[in-house]
Amino acid sequence: MDLIKALRRFRLVLKAGYDALAWAAATAVATLLRYTDPSVAPWRHAAVMAAALAIVYFALALVVRTISGRAPTASLEEMLLITALALMSGLVVFFGNLGHVYVARSVPIGATLCFLVAAGLGRGVWRSLVVRPPASGSPTSSRVLVVGAGDAGRDLVGSMLREAGSEWHPVGFVDDDRAKRHLRVRGVPVLGEIARLSELIERFRAEVVVVAIPSASSALISRIADSCRSAGVPVKVLPSAVELLRDDVGIRDIRDINLSDFLGRKQVDTDVASIAGYITRRRVLVTGAGGSIGSELCRQIAAFGPSELIMLDRDESALHAVQLSLTGRAMLDGRDVVLCDIRDARAVREIFMTRRPEVVFHAAALKHLPMLEQYPGEALKTNVVGTENVLAAAAMADVSRLVNISTDKAANPISVLGYSKRLAERITAAYAGTANRSYLSVRFGNVLGSRGSVLTTFAEQIANGGPITVTDPDVTRYFMTIEEACQLVVQAGAIGRPGEALVLDMGKPVKILDVVNRLIALHHRRVRIEYTGLRHGEKLHEDLFGDLEPRDVRPWHALISHVPVDAIDLDLVGALSGSGRRGDVIDAMARASADGCRSGSSDPFAELDDTVGLEPAVGHRRHQG
C-alpha cells in the first residue's frame, strides 16, 4: 500500500516518462516491421523521428493539459484525447518526412498505432493495479449487494473501493437488464436479477443491500424492501433523482430507507427550457415562502437564476430559516425577505407596486383541516380574502404569471379547507379573465415531510410507544414528496393556461393503514393501532377531480392534467366576511364555492345578509379590470 501511495503521488511524472518510452519503443517496433533486416535499418533517423513524435505529442498535451490530469487515468475521455493527440503527432511527422525521406513513410504511421496500443495497455495496467484497490475488503467491512448496475451503482461501487478502510465491501450487483448479466465493474460482477434478491443475499452472505437507482419507483423500493426483510438484512438507498444535486455518487450519499421512498420517488421529466423561459432573469415573488411548500419552491426557483427572488411571509422565524437554507446567512436585512400578512390588502398592494414582481407563486394558506373546521372565519380571511388581495395586487402591478397553490380538498369540497381553496381557484380564474394574464391554480394532495403532516404525527406516536391513531382502516390518501410536488408546480407554471387548475398526478391513492404498518416496520417496534373514526369534513377517499370536471386531459405533460375552472363574480367574494356564527360562515363559503356562482346569477348570500352581517373585509380592494 505504501508503494501504491508513492506511485499515486508521482503519477504525472510517471505518466509523462512512460509516454516518452512508449514513443521510443513504438518507433523501434515500427522500424523493425518495415526493415526486416535490423542491420540495414536507419536507426539514427528513426531515433530522431521518435524524438520528433514525442516532442510534438507533449507540446499538444501541454495545450490540452492531458498529462497534467485533465481526465481520469484510463478513462474513455483520456483515451480519446490521447488518440487525437497521437494521430496529430503522427501526421505532423509524416508530412515532415515527405520532403526528404529519412525513413520509410510507413514508419511514423506504424509508430503512431504502436504507441496507442502501448499507451492504452500501460494505463489499463495502472488502473487495475493502482487505481482499483484489492477486492477483498477489510475484515470489518460489511458485505454489500448493490441493486442497480447503472451509472449511480458504478460510481457507488467505485467510491466503496476507493475509500481506505471503508465499512462497505461490494460483493456484487443485482440488475434486471439482461445486457448487463456478464458485466464486471472493477472486479465486482452482476450476479442476477432483482427477483432472485433473497437467494443472492443468502448465497453471497450479504449483510446490507443498497438500492443505487435514484429514479426507482416506490413500487420497486417496496419490492426490494420486502425481499430484504424476509432475508433479515437492512436495506439502504441513494437519494431520489430530484435530491441528488451532483453527477457523481458516493458512499456518503447512502441513507436509511424512509417512508418517502415507499410513497414518492416519481421521476419527473422537467422541461428545463420552458421553466427557464419564464423564471430566468425575472423578478419572482413567493408568498408563504417560509412554509414547507413555499421554502422548497424558493430553493427550486433559485436554481433557475431569477433576477430577484422575493420571499414573503408573516412568520419572521420561517423567513430566517429559508434565507439561511438558500444563502448560508440569515441577517434578515436584505431585500429578498419581506415580512407581510396577505390579509393586509394595503400592505400587499404596496409591496407589489414597489417591487414589481413579474412571476408570483402564491403558497400562503392555512391548511389544517380540523383547526379550520373550528375557526372557518380564519380560513376565509387567509385562504379567500388573502388570495384575492394577492391577485388584486398582482393585476394592479401587471404581474404576467401567477400560480396559486391549491389542494385536492378543493375537488368536490365538503370541508372548510376545501371550500376556501375552491374559492381561491375560482377567484384566480376570475382575475385571469379581468386582468387577461396567465393566472392559474395547481392542485395536489398530501405532501410528505410538510409541517404538520400526518406522517410526523405517526412517527411521534411510535416514538412514544403508541397507540397510533387512524381514522378508519379503509381511508386512503394521495401522497407526494415536497421535491416532486414543487418540481411539478414550477413546471405547471410554464404550461398552464389562464384560469384553469392543473392537477398533479399523485399516483395511486395509498391506504393510511398500509402507511402505518410500513412505519412500524421501519421502526422495528410493536405499536397498537387505534381507530378514531372520520372527523367532520374528512373523506374516506380524496378526489383529485370534481364530479363535473374532465379527467386526464394532459396535452403538455404526462404528469399534469388540465381542468377548466368557473370564474366567480368578485362582488360575491366581497360580500363574504369571517364574522358571524360559525355555521353561517361555513354555509356561505360552501355556497360561494359551488359551481354556478357567476356574474349575473342570483345572489346566494341574500338570505344570509341579515343574520351573518356579511360586510366587505377591512382593507379589501378589487382590481377594476
Side-chain angles (χ1 to χ4, degrees), residues 466-471 473 512-513 516-517 520 527-531:
I468 296 181
T469 54
V470 178
T471 55
I512 294 296
L513 185 58
V516 169
N517 288 329
I520 293 173
V527 182
R528 181 170 61 89
I529 300 174
E530 181 179 297
Y531 298 104

Side-chain angles (χ1 to χ4, degrees), residues 32-64:
L32 284 173
L33 290 175
R34 173 61 180 82
Y35 300 94
T36 54
D37 185 357
S39 62
V40 300
W43 290 111
R44 184 179 300 174
H45 294 305
V48 172
M49 178 170 288
L53 286 166
I55 289 171
V56 175
Y57 172 80
F58 285 119
L60 294 172
L62 285 173
V63 174
V64 299

